[in-house]
Amino acid sequence: MYDYIIPFFQTVRNYDSMPLLLNLPRVGDRMAFKVLEIGDDTTPEVSAYKEAHVIQVNQEKIELKACSGYTISDPLFEAADDSSVWVHFKHLISPRLIICNFQ
């Protein structure tokens, strides 16, 4: 009925205002990014932003664990044992560092 009302527990983020990650993130960082996905009509399309925690960093690859409410699955990603994935940093589109202010 009221699509514009957002539940109090849901945070709306302006990802474009967050710092762009030009280098590999650090372990423990929370980041947002887009990926290339295959749409319902089998054409490639850029996803909406997804959020994940950085679990490990290994040269050009990073291990990501999706934050609550997000899924990360793609044929280019290597699934790890604990519902996390390994991905080449260069495959992420517009990666952003999420900085939380707790006030």
Side-chain angles (χ1 to χ4, degrees):
M1 181 171 171
Y2 298 107
D3 293 335
Y4 60 89
I5 296 176
I6 299 165
F8 72 93
F9 54 83
Q10 183 177 356
T11 304
V12 176
R13 300 184 193 273
N14 179 2
Y15 295 107
D16 293 327
S17 69
M18 296 178 184
L20 189 62
L21 280 168
L22 301 175
N23 297 311
L24 289 169
R26 298 175 301 188
V27 171
D29 282 347
R30 184 173 181 151
M31 61 183 293
F33 56 90
K34 297 178 182 182
V35 291
L36 196 59
E37 296 178 327
I38 302 297
D40 293 335
D41 60 353
T42 67
T43 59
E45 55 190 41
V46 176
S47 72
Y49 274 103
K50 300 171 182 281
E51 291 186 23
H53 290 283
V54 179
I55 306 299
Q56 288 187 59
V57 178
N58 184 358
Q59 295 174 350
E60 293 298 314
K61 292 172 96 175
I62 55 177
E63 184 180 2
L64 298 173
K65 185 169 183 103
C67 294
S68 178
Y70 297 91
T71 57
I72 305 172
S73 61
D74 188 284
L76 293 175
F77 300 169
E78 300 171 28
D81 296 335
D82 60 351
S83 73
S84 60
V85 294
W86 282 96
V87 60
H88 282 274
F89 183 69
K90 65 183 177 183
H91 291 161
L92 302 179
I93 300 168
S94 220
R96 307 272 177 173
L97 180 63
I98 297 175
I99 301 171
C100 297
N101 292 329
F102 299 101
Q103 296 178 353

